[in-house]
Amino acid sequence: MTTPHRPFRWDLVRRDQLGTLLDGQEVALDYLEPLIECAAKVLARSGDGALYFVGRSADSIFDVLSGALSGTSRSDRVSLLPFSYRFEKPLLVHEVRQLRINLEAMGISPYGLARRARPIVFADLVYGGHTFTHLYGFLRDWIAYEHETWDVIRLKLRFLGITARKKTSPSTWRWWQDADWTDELPRSAITNVSIPGTLWDYLGNSQEKIAPSFRRTLWADETVTAPRRSEKVAHALAEAVAYVEQGRSHPTRTAIARHLATEPTFAQPWLRTLALELRKGSP
C-alpha cells in the first residue's frame, strides 16, 4: 500500500516542538498591515468554507489567519495544501496514484467532496492561474474515475486567487477569463483578492519558506516528512512564528474584524458572528 507524504511543517499555534530553534533570530514584519487586510478579505470571501492555501506562496497569510482564528469556532477552517504542479509531460500512473493518496490524507477526495456540507476553497497567489488549472484538471479526472456526482461537487468547489493590485479598466486582463475550466463552475466559485505588488512579489518570489516546494519528484519522497535545518529555514520559521503571534494578538484580531465589516459578505450571519468572536480578544 502506498504511504501518503507531505512536507514537514511545525505546528506554529501550539509550538511545543520548537525548543531552541528560534534562539538568536530577529525578524522585521514589513508587510504586516497588508497581510492583515488580505487575510480578512480571504476570510470574508471564503463563503464559510474550508480554506486550503495551495503551495507555499501564501504561507504568511495562513500564519496570520491560523493565529487569529485560534480559540474561535473556526480554528479548524484553515489548512495548507502542499502542492506544486508545474510540468510539461503527463503524469505517470504511479504519480497519479501517489498524488491521490497524498490529497486524500489531507482531507481531499472525490468521495469527501461529494459529501461535504460546506464548500472547499483553494486559495493561492495567482499570476497566470496555471496551478489552479492543473489542480482543477486533476480533481476533475479523479472525480470522473471514481464515478462521483460532478453536478453535486461543482457546487462545493471554490478558487480564490490572490493577485497583484493593478489599475482596473475594461481591457484589464484577468486570469480566470483565459481559463476555460472556470466556465464549468458557478461564477461565484471564482473569487479574487488583490494585494500590493510589492507584497505579492515578496511572497511569491523572494520570501524564504519553511518547507520545500512539493513538486512531482517529491510526492513519494519520505525525506520531505523530516524538518529542514539551515540558517535560512530558521529565519523563515522565526518570521512565520511572529506572524502567528501577531494573528493571536488583540490588535490584529480587532483589525481583521474591522476589515470584515467593510466586505459585502458581512451581512451573512456566520461572518458577523466570527467578527464578534475576534473582537472579544486573544485566547
Side-chain angles (χ1 to χ4, degrees), residues 2-72:
T2 306
T3 303
H5 297 101
R6 67 181 299 170
F8 178 88
R9 198 178 196 267
W10 288 270
D11 184 336
L12 304 184
V13 174
R14 295 180 178 84
R15 299 212 321 259
D16 17 358
Q17 307 166 305
L18 296 184
T20 60
L21 287 173
L22 304 183
D23 289 358
Q25 295 292 332
E26 296 183 4
V27 294
L29 303 183
D30 298 327
Y31 298 101
L32 180 60
E33 296 280 330
L35 275 174
I36 290 172
E37 181 181 0
C38 175
K41 289 181 177 180
V42 168
L43 190 59
R45 299 173 193 184
S46 68
D48 198 20
L51 271 165
Y52 281 80
F53 288 93
V54 181
R56 307 180 303 164
S57 296
D59 277 7
S60 293
I61 303 165
F62 165 80
D63 290 330
V64 170
L65 270 183
S66 60
L69 295 177
S70 62
T72 73

Side-chain angles (χ1 to χ4, degrees), residues 86-124:
R86 298 177 182 177
F87 58 88
E88 292 75 32
K89 298 179 181 179
L91 293 180
L92 302 175
V93 172
H94 73 275
E95 291 174 322
V96 171
R97 181 171 61 251
Q98 183 67 57
L99 183 54
R100 287 177 179 175
I101 289 172
N102 289 348
L103 290 176
E104 190 165 10
M106 297 175 208
I108 300 169
S109 69
Y111 181 89
L113 290 172
R115 290 157 182 82
R116 63 181 301 115
R118 297 184 181 88
I120 184 169
V121 186
F122 299 110
D124 190 19

Side-chain angles (χ1 to χ4, degrees), residues 210-227:
I210 298 173
S213 180
F214 203 32
R215 299 185 177 94
R216 65 191 292 182
T217 55
L218 296 179
W219 290 346
D221 190 343
E222 64 179 14
T223 64
V224 301
T225 63

Side-chain angles (χ1 to χ4, degrees), residues 194-221:
S194 66
I195 60 176
T198 51
L199 174 57
W200 195 100
D201 182 64
Y202 176 67
L203 296 177
N205 299 322
S206 306
Q207 185 184 40
E208 186 67 34
K209 308 296 184 181
I210 298 173
S213 180
F214 203 32
R215 299 185 177 94
R216 65 191 292 182
T217 55
L218 296 179
W219 290 346
D221 190 343

